[in-house]
Amino acid sequence: MTADRGAGGGGLADPATRADLVPDWPAALAVVAHPDDESFGLGAVIEAFVASGTIVHVLCLTKGEASTLGVDAGLDLAAVRGDELRLAGARLGVATTTLTDWPDGGLAASPESEVIADILAAIATHRPDGLIVFEPHGITGHPDHIAATARALSAADHVRLPVLAWTLPESVAEAVNHEHGVALHGDPEDDIDIDLPVARERQRDAIRAHASQAVPGSILWRRLELLGSHESLRWLRPPPRAHGTPHLERS
């Protein structure tokens, strides 16, 4: 089953129907919490959007300076991770990468209205047709991931933009959790709107750009193995149906 990519503002004609294509957006804005989220997490999804002709911009809300990786070399980790983000973005084919200066590990406690204002400023600059985010639990449950998605949803509500979230199938999350003793969040099959066939060449190149964070054997690599050539997406703020009736929102 494929998405309706004809006239009518782009996106799926009926977001409740399973599809295997990304929406036909001329431009998209990915909102993430940390440098590497755009690659380890959204990389294959961004690659699919770029391949479809969408101009993708990335807004990263923290510099990732609180990471416990890459700190032994006496480097300025915030600067290093900013450079890694720019290189990864180039490898993914995104048009721009923007870093804001909210504290890594403290995004949820940062002034909500000001974080939303930064996202709205990026929306005003890039004029995306929709936002791409992590699902509301942030996949890993990291408070910064959760806050990034929550603030992006609030910004999208201000300007009535659709929001598409990357998620994991429940079965994949459970497998990783069992093997590694972690608590990744996954969604039941019935809650997944787009089962997206993906290539991973650009994603893997982008991950390698994050040399300070790319740890072989981590749960992130295992997740890629289990997902194979598919990613799962769900609508958090669906676009209007083709006949103009909004679909019900889900959170």
Side-chain angles (χ1 to χ4, degrees):
M1 184 181 302
T2 59
D4 179 356
R5 298 168 72 86
L12 304 180
D14 183 355
T17 301
R18 268 300 264 277
D20 59 6
L21 293 175
V22 292
D24 191 14
W25 292 341
L29 176 67
V31 181
V32 297
H34 311 111
D36 78 33
D37 289 345
E38 85 299 327
S39 297
F40 278 113
L42 298 180
V45 177
I46 290 174
E47 182 174 356
F49 270 101
V50 171
S52 76
T54 299
I55 298 170
V56 179
H57 304 273
V58 173
L59 174 64
C60 184
L61 296 172
T62 82
K63 294 181 177 178
E65 72 279 1
S67 172
T68 57
L69 301 173
V71 296
D72 295 332
L75 301 174
D76 179 346
L77 191 58
V80 167
R81 296 195 71 184
D83 290 341
E84 291 175 347
L85 174 66
R86 285 184 283 275
L87 178 57
R91 291 181 178 181
L92 287 172
V94 307
T96 65
T97 55
T98 302
L99 266 174
T100 59
D101 201 22
W102 297 106
D104 183 11
L107 186 61
S110 298
E112 182 175 349
S113 62
E114 295 180 28
V115 177
I116 293 169
D118 279 347
I119 300 171
L120 288 171
I123 290 171
T125 297
H126 301 303
R127 302 181 65 82
D129 298 273
L131 305 185
I132 313 166
V133 299
F134 282 31
E135 56 81 32
H137 298 85
I139 302 290
T140 64
H142 194 300
D144 284 353
H145 293 176
I146 294 170
T149 293
R151 306 302 177 255
L153 285 170
S154 295
D157 288 344
H158 275 282
V159 291
R160 305 180 77 80
L161 276 179
V163 181
L164 190 60
W166 167 62
T167 188
L168 295 182
E170 196 170 48
S171 59
V172 170
E174 289 174 351
V176 176
N177 293 344
H178 176 73
E179 292 176 11
H180 292 269
V182 292
L184 300 186
H185 176 82
D187 280 314
E189 291 290 329
D190 287 348
D191 288 346
I192 292 171
D193 297 306
I194 301 175
D195 177 24
L196 182 67
V198 294
R200 296 203 185 272
E201 182 178 357
R202 283 193 173 199
Q203 180 181 29
R204 293 184 184 279
D205 282 346
I207 287 171
R208 284 190 284 270
H210 290 282
S212 72
Q213 307 298 307
V215 180
S218 72
I219 61 171
L220 298 170
W221 291 108
R222 180 57 176 146
R223 185 263 300 172
L224 290 179
E225 292 174 353
L226 290 169
L227 287 172
S229 60
H230 285 260
E231 291 283 6
S232 297
L233 303 171
R234 56 177 289 211
W235 289 106
L236 302 184
R237 298 291 186 268
R241 295 189 183 199
H243 52 69
T245 302
H247 189 65
L248 291 176
E249 294 181 353
R250 293 192 292 170
S251 59

PDB file of all heavy atoms in Angstrom, residues 92-117:
ATOM      1  N   LEU A  92      24.117  12.998   5.473  1.00  0.00           N
ATOM      2  CA  LEU A  92      22.715  12.640   5.288  1.00  0.00           C
ATOM      3  C   LEU A  92      22.063  13.419   4.151  1.00  0.00           C
ATOM      4  O   LEU A  92      20.965  13.069   3.710  1.00  0.00           O
ATOM      5  CB  LEU A  92      21.927  12.887   6.580  1.00  0.00           C
ATOM      6  CG  LEU A  92      22.162  11.908   7.725  1.00  0.00           C
ATOM      7  CD1 LEU A  92      21.472  12.406   8.992  1.00  0.00           C
ATOM      8  CD2 LEU A  92      21.668  10.505   7.366  1.00  0.00           C
ATOM      9  N   GLY A  93      22.709  14.488   3.717  1.00  0.00           N
ATOM     10  CA  GLY A  93      22.146  15.298   2.644  1.00  0.00           C
ATOM     11  C   GLY A  93      21.176  16.357   3.105  1.00  0.00           C
ATOM     12  O   GLY A  93      20.384  16.870   2.303  1.00  0.00           O
ATOM     13  N   VAL A  94      21.226  16.735   4.408  1.00  0.00           N
ATOM     14  CA  VAL A  94      20.316  17.767   4.884  1.00  0.00           C
ATOM     15  C   VAL A  94      20.791  19.135   4.416  1.00  0.00           C
ATOM     16  O   VAL A  94      21.982  19.346   4.137  1.00  0.00           O
ATOM     17  CB  VAL A  94      20.157  17.740   6.423  1.00  0.00           C
ATOM     18  CG1 VAL A  94      19.765  16.355   6.898  1.00  0.00           C
ATOM     19  CG2 VAL A  94      21.419  18.205   7.131  1.00  0.00           C
ATOM     20  N   ALA A  95      19.857  20.073   4.341  1.00  0.00           N
ATOM     21  CA  ALA A  95      20.186  21.406   3.844  1.00  0.00           C
ATOM     22  C   ALA A  95      20.914  22.238   4.884  1.00  0.00           C
ATOM     23  O   ALA A  95      21.874  22.960   4.558  1.00  0.00           O
ATOM     24  CB  ALA A  95      18.913  22.124   3.393  1.00  0.00           C
ATOM     25  N   THR A  96      20.466  22.175   6.146  1.00  0.00           N
ATOM     26  CA  THR A  96      21.090  22.949   7.212  1.00  0.00           C
ATOM     27  C   THR A  96      21.025  22.166   8.517  1.00  0.00           C
ATOM     28  O   THR A  96      20.133  21.349   8.739  1.00  0.00           O
ATOM     29  CB  THR A  96      20.380  24.302   7.448  1.00  0.00           C
ATOM     30  OG1 THR A  96      19.044  24.071   7.924  1.00  0.00           O
ATOM     31  CG2 THR A  96      20.335  25.136   6.168  1.00  0.00           C
ATOM     32  N   THR A  97      21.988  22.443   9.393  1.00  0.00           N
ATOM     33  CA  THR A  97      21.931  21.986  10.782  1.00  0.00           C
ATOM     34  C   THR A  97      22.086  23.200  11.675  1.00  0.00           C
ATOM     35  O   THR A  97      22.952  24.049  11.430  1.00  0.00           O
ATOM     36  CB  THR A  97      23.036  20.966  11.100  1.00  0.00           C
ATOM     37  OG1 THR A  97      24.321  21.533  10.772  1.00  0.00           O
ATOM     38  CG2 THR A  97      22.839  19.672  10.323  1.00  0.00           C
ATOM     39  N   THR A  98      21.233  23.286  12.686  1.00  0.00           N
ATOM     40  CA  THR A  98      21.259  24.417  13.611  1.00  0.00           C
ATOM     41  C   THR A  98      21.343  23.894  15.032  1.00  0.00           C
ATOM     42  O   THR A  98      20.581  22.998  15.418  1.00  0.00           O
ATOM     43  CB  THR A  98      19.993  25.283  13.466  1.00  0.00           C
ATOM     44  OG1 THR A  98      19.894  25.743  12.118  1.00  0.00           O
ATOM     45  CG2 THR A  98      20.039  26.471  14.411  1.00  0.00           C
ATOM     46  N   LEU A  99      22.276  24.436  15.807  1.00  0.00           N
ATOM     47  CA  LEU A  99      22.432  24.074  17.214  1.00  0.00           C
ATOM     48  C   LEU A  99      21.984  25.233  18.087  1.00  0.00           C
ATOM     49  O   LEU A  99      22.403  26.377  17.876  1.00  0.00           O
ATOM     50  CB  LEU A  99      23.895  23.786  17.533  1.00  0.00           C
ATOM     51  CG  LEU A  99      24.417  22.355  17.476  1.00  0.00           C
ATOM     52  CD1 LEU A  99      25.921  22.357  17.693  1.00  0.00           C
ATOM     53  CD2 LEU A  99      23.748  21.482  18.512  1.00  0.00           C
ATOM     54  N   THR A 100      21.125  24.954  19.057  1.00  0.00           N
ATOM     55  CA  THR A 100      20.839  25.951  20.089  1.00  0.00           C
ATOM     56  C   THR A 100      21.586  25.554  21.356  1.00  0.00           C
ATOM     57  O   THR A 100      22.187  24.478  21.433  1.00  0.00           O
ATOM     58  CB  THR A 100      19.334  26.083  20.354  1.00  0.00           C
ATOM     59  OG1 THR A 100      18.811  24.819  20.769  1.00  0.00           O
ATOM     60  CG2 THR A 100      18.600  26.538  19.101  1.00  0.00           C
ATOM     61  N   ASP A 101      21.534  26.406  22.351  1.00  0.00           N
ATOM     62  CA  ASP A 101      22.444  26.282  23.490  1.00  0.00           C
ATOM     63  C   ASP A 101      21.738  25.881  24.776  1.00  0.00           C
ATOM     64  O   ASP A 101      22.169  26.252  25.863  1.00  0.00           O
ATOM     65  CB  ASP A 101      23.190  27.607  23.689  1.00  0.00           C
ATOM     66  CG  ASP A 101      24.490  27.444  24.469  1.00  0.00           C
ATOM     67  OD1 ASP A 101      25.020  26.321  24.490  1.00  0.00           O
ATOM     68  OD2 ASP A 101      24.949  28.432  25.061  1.00  0.00           O
ATOM     69  N   TRP A 102      20.651  25.130  24.688  1.00  0.00           N
ATOM     70  CA  TRP A 102      19.996  24.652  25.905  1.00  0.00           C
ATOM     71  C   TRP A 102      20.850  23.576  26.549  1.00  0.00           C
ATOM     72  O   TRP A 102      21.559  22.843  25.856  1.00  0.00           O
ATOM     73  CB  TRP A 102      18.588  24.148  25.583  1.00  0.00           C
ATOM     74  CG  TRP A 102      17.731  25.256  25.057  1.00  0.00           C
ATOM     75  CD1 TRP A 102      17.321  25.461  23.774  1.00  0.00           C
ATOM     76  CD2 TRP A 102      17.222  26.365  25.810  1.00  0.00           C
ATOM     77  NE1 TRP A 102      16.590  26.612  23.663  1.00  0.00           N
ATOM     78  CE2 TRP A 102      16.514  27.204  24.909  1.00  0.00           C
ATOM     79  CE3 TRP A 102      17.300  26.737  27.150  1.00  0.00           C
ATOM     80  CZ2 TRP A 102      15.889  28.369  25.315  1.00  0.00           C
ATOM     81  CZ3 TRP A 102      16.678  27.905  27.559  1.00  0.00           C
ATOM     82  CH2 TRP A 102      15.982  28.711  26.653  1.00  0.00           C
ATOM     83  N   PRO A 103      20.828  23.457  27.881  1.00  0.00           N
ATOM     84  CA  PRO A 103      21.755  22.539  28.558  1.00  0.00           C
ATOM     85  C   PRO A 103      21.435  21.074  28.296  1.00  0.00           C
ATOM     86  O   PRO A 103      20.291  20.644  28.410  1.00  0.00           O
ATOM     87  CB  PRO A 103      21.578  22.892  30.044  1.00  0.00           C
ATOM     88  CG  PRO A 103      20.230  23.517  30.136  1.00  0.00           C
ATOM     89  CD  PRO A 103      20.016  24.238  28.840  1.00  0.00           C
ATOM     90  N   ASP A 104      22.465  20.337  27.953  1.00  0.00           N
ATOM     91  CA  ASP A 104      22.341  18.894  27.795  1.00  0.00           C
ATOM     92  C   ASP A 104      21.993  18.285  29.152  1.00  0.00           C
ATOM     93  O   ASP A 104      22.668  18.542  30.152  1.00  0.00           O
ATOM     94  CB  ASP A 104      23.678  18.335  27.285  1.00  0.00           C
ATOM     95  CG  ASP A 104      23.637  16.847  27.010  1.00  0.00           C
ATOM     96  OD1 ASP A 104      22.540  16.259  27.005  1.00  0.00           O
ATOM     97  OD2 ASP A 104      24.721  16.276  26.788  1.00  0.00           O
ATOM     98  N   GLY A 105      20.928  17.523  29.192  1.00  0.00           N
ATOM     99  CA  GLY A 105      20.457  16.951  30.450  1.00  0.00           C
ATOM    100  C   GLY A 105      19.504  17.860  31.198  1.00  0.00           C
ATOM    101  O   GLY A 105      18.902  17.448  32.193  1.00  0.00           O
ATOM    102  N   GLY A 106      19.339  19.096  30.714  1.00  0.00           N
ATOM    103  CA  GLY A 106      18.472  20.043  31.399  1.00  0.00           C
ATOM    104  C   GLY A 106      17.409  20.641  30.511  1.00  0.00           C
ATOM    105  O   GLY A 106      16.812  21.668  30.854  1.00  0.00           O
ATOM    106  N   LEU A 107      17.154  20.014  29.375  1.00  0.00           N
ATOM    107  CA  LEU A 107      16.182  20.586  28.440  1.00  0.00           C
ATOM    108  C   LEU A 107      14.787  20.636  29.043  1.00  0.00           C
ATOM    109  O   LEU A 107      14.067  21.629  28.875  1.00  0.00           O
ATOM    110  CB  LEU A 107      16.172  19.775  27.141  1.00  0.00           C
ATOM    111  CG  LEU A 107      15.322  20.328  26.005  1.00  0.00           C
ATOM    112  CD1 LEU A 107      15.799  21.714  25.586  1.00  0.00           C
ATOM    113  CD2 LEU A 107      15.351  19.377  24.807  1.00  0.00           C
ATOM    114  N   ALA A 108      14.406  19.592  29.765  1.00  0.00           N
ATOM    115  CA  ALA A 108      13.057  19.541  30.343  1.00  0.00           C
ATOM    116  C   ALA A 108      12.852  20.647  31.376  1.00  0.00           C
ATOM    117  O   ALA A 108      11.727  21.132  31.562  1.00  0.00           O
ATOM    118  CB  ALA A 108      12.799  18.173  30.968  1.00  0.00           C
ATOM    119  N   ALA A 109      13.921  21.039  32.050  1.00  0.00           N
ATOM    120  CA  ALA A 109      13.820  22.081  33.077  1.00  0.00           C
ATOM    121  C   ALA A 109      14.036  23.480  32.521  1.00  0.00           C
ATOM    122  O   ALA A 109      13.902  24.460  33.249  1.00  0.00           O
ATOM    123  CB  ALA A 109      14.842  21.806  34.187  1.00  0.00           C
ATOM    124  N   SER A 110      14.368  23.592  31.251  1.00  0.00           N
ATOM    125  CA  SER A 110      14.586  24.903  30.643  1.00  0.00           C
ATOM    126  C   SER A 110      13.253  25.591  30.384  1.00  0.00           C
ATOM    127  O   SER A 110      12.220  24.920  30.266  1.00  0.00           O
ATOM    128  CB  SER A 110      15.356  24.735  29.320  1.00  0.00           C
ATOM    129  OG  SER A 110      16.622  24.171  29.562  1.00  0.00           O
ATOM    130  N   PRO A 111      13.240  26.912  30.307  1.00  0.00           N
ATOM    131  CA  PRO A 111      11.976  27.638  30.129  1.00  0.00           C
ATOM    132  C   PRO A 111      11.234  27.161  28.877  1.00  0.00           C
ATOM    133  O   PRO A 111      11.716  27.324  27.754  1.00  0.00           O
ATOM    134  CB  PRO A 111      12.420  29.096  29.991  1.00  0.00           C
ATOM    135  CG  PRO A 111      13.730  29.155  30.704  1.00  0.00           C
ATOM    136  CD  PRO A 111      14.386  27.835  30.447  1.00  0.00           C
ATOM    137  N   GLU A 112      10.085  26.582  29.092  1.00  0.00           N
ATOM    138  CA  GLU A 112       9.355  25.947  27.998  1.00  0.00           C
ATOM    139  C   GLU A 112       9.056  26.917  26.868  1.00  0.00           C
ATOM    140  O   GLU A 112       9.258  26.604  25.691  1.00  0.00           O
ATOM    141  CB  GLU A 112       8.058  25.344  28.534  1.00  0.00           C
ATOM    142  CG  GLU A 112       7.231  24.624  27.501  1.00  0.00           C
ATOM    143  CD  GLU A 112       6.017  23.940  28.112  1.00  0.00           C
ATOM    144  OE1 GLU A 112       5.939  23.849  29.357  1.00  0.00           O
ATOM    145  OE2 GLU A 112       5.141  23.511  27.338  1.00  0.00           O
ATOM    146  N   SER A 113       8.590  28.106  27.214  1.00  0.00           N
ATOM    147  CA  SER A 113       8.197  29.058  26.178  1.00  0.00           C
ATOM    148  C   SER A 113       9.385  29.493  25.335  1.00  0.00           C
ATOM    149  O   SER A 113       9.249  29.759  24.133  1.00  0.00           O
ATOM    150  CB  SER A 113       7.526  30.279  26.810  1.00  0.00           C
ATOM    151  OG  SER A 113       8.427  30.960  27.670  1.00  0.00           O
ATOM    152  N   GLU A 114      10.575  29.547  25.942  1.00  0.00           N
ATOM    153  CA  GLU A 114      11.755  29.978  25.206  1.00  0.00           C
ATOM    154  C   GLU A 114      12.250  28.881  24.263  1.00  0.00           C
ATOM    155  O   GLU A 114      12.713  29.164  23.153  1.00  0.00           O
ATOM    156  CB  GLU A 114      12.852  30.403  26.178  1.00  0.00           C
ATOM    157  CG  GLU A 114      12.475  31.640  26.993  1.00  0.00           C
ATOM    158  CD  GLU A 114      13.563  32.054  27.964  1.00  0.00           C
ATOM    159  OE1 GLU A 114      14.755  31.783  27.682  1.00  0.00           O
ATOM    160  OE2 GLU A 114      13.241  32.646  29.007  1.00  0.00           O
ATOM    161  N   VAL A 115      12.170  27.636  24.708  1.00  0.00           N
ATOM    162  CA  VAL A 115      12.541  26.524  23.824  1.00  0.00           C
ATOM    163  C   VAL A 115      11.574  26.479  22.634  1.00  0.00           C
ATOM    164  O   VAL A 115      11.985  26.327  21.473  1.00  0.00           O
ATOM    165  CB  VAL A 115      12.546  25.192  24.575  1.00  0.00           C
ATOM    166  CG1 VAL A 115      12.861  24.037  23.618  1.00  0.00           C
ATOM    167  CG2 VAL A 115      13.557  25.213  25.721  1.00  0.00           C
ATOM    168  N   ILE A 116      10.295  26.627  22.912  1.00  0.00           N
ATOM    169  CA  ILE A 116       9.291  26.645  21.841  1.00  0.00           C
ATOM    170  C   ILE A 116       9.567  27.798  20.888  1.00  0.00           C
ATOM    171  O   ILE A 116       9.447  27.651  19.658  1.00  0.00           O
ATOM    172  CB  ILE A 116       7.877  26.730  22.433  1.00  0.00           C
ATOM    173  CG1 ILE A 116       7.540  25.446  23.185  1.00  0.00           C
ATOM    174  CG2 ILE A 116       6.833  26.996  21.339  1.00  0.00           C
ATOM    175  CD1 ILE A 116       6.276  25.526  24.029  1.00  0.00           C
ATOM    176  N   ALA A 117       9.960  28.941  21.429  1.00  0.00           N
ATOM    177  CA  ALA A 117      10.262  30.098  20.575  1.00  0.00           C
ATOM    178  C   ALA A 117      11.413  29.792  19.624  1.00  0.00           C
ATOM    179  O   ALA A 117      11.404  30.221  18.459  1.00  0.00           O
ATOM    180  CB  ALA A 117      10.593  31.310  21.437  1.00  0.00           C
TER     181      ALA A 117
END
